[in-house]
Every structure is written in structure tokens, then in C-alpha cells.
Amino acid sequence: MIVAADDGVGASEEDLRRLFERFYRADRARASRGTGLGLAIVKHIVTSAGGRVEASGAPGQGLQIRIAFPA
């Protein structure tokens, strides 16, 4: 299993459900230059290889992305 975590602003329940959608950006007010494709690409690659990817977190508690591949 691969785990990436941070202690940033976290994500709401709605954002967690949508994080892996193409072009979805959780905080549109932020001056980010991102396109909202990063996690969508990760999900596509992982699921194409038979794995799964999940996100968890809460506002003010950071975000954790977990990737698991079959044995």
C-alpha cells in the first residue's frame, strides 16, 4: 500500500466524494494554477492496473490518499 498524507486544510465530505473527478477543484477561491486532473489521472492509472485508490480527511485535519495494488 502507498500512502500520501498532509496536514493541510483537509476536505469536506462532498469534496472527498469528488476529488477523483476530472477537472474538479475543491477550493476555487485559491489562486492555484492546477487543472484538477492530477488525482483523476492517478485513479485511472491505479484502477487500470487492478488497484484501488481512496481519500480520507476532514476540514482542518489534512488529507490522506491511499493506493493499493493486488498482490
Side-chain angles (χ1 to χ4, degrees), residues 53-64:
V53 61
E54 302 168 344
S56 64
Q61 297 181 5
L63 183 67
Q64 184 178 73

Side-chain angles (χ1 to χ4, degrees), residues 29-67:
R30 198 177 302 167
S32 172
R33 295 173 57 155
T35 60
L37 288 173
L39 288 174
I41 293 169
V42 167
K43 182 175 182 176
H44 177 75
I45 292 169
V46 170
T47 57
S48 292
R52 71 180 197 285
V53 61
E54 302 168 344
S56 64
Q61 297 181 5
L63 183 67
Q64 184 178 73
I65 306 294
R66 291 174 309 283
I67 299 171

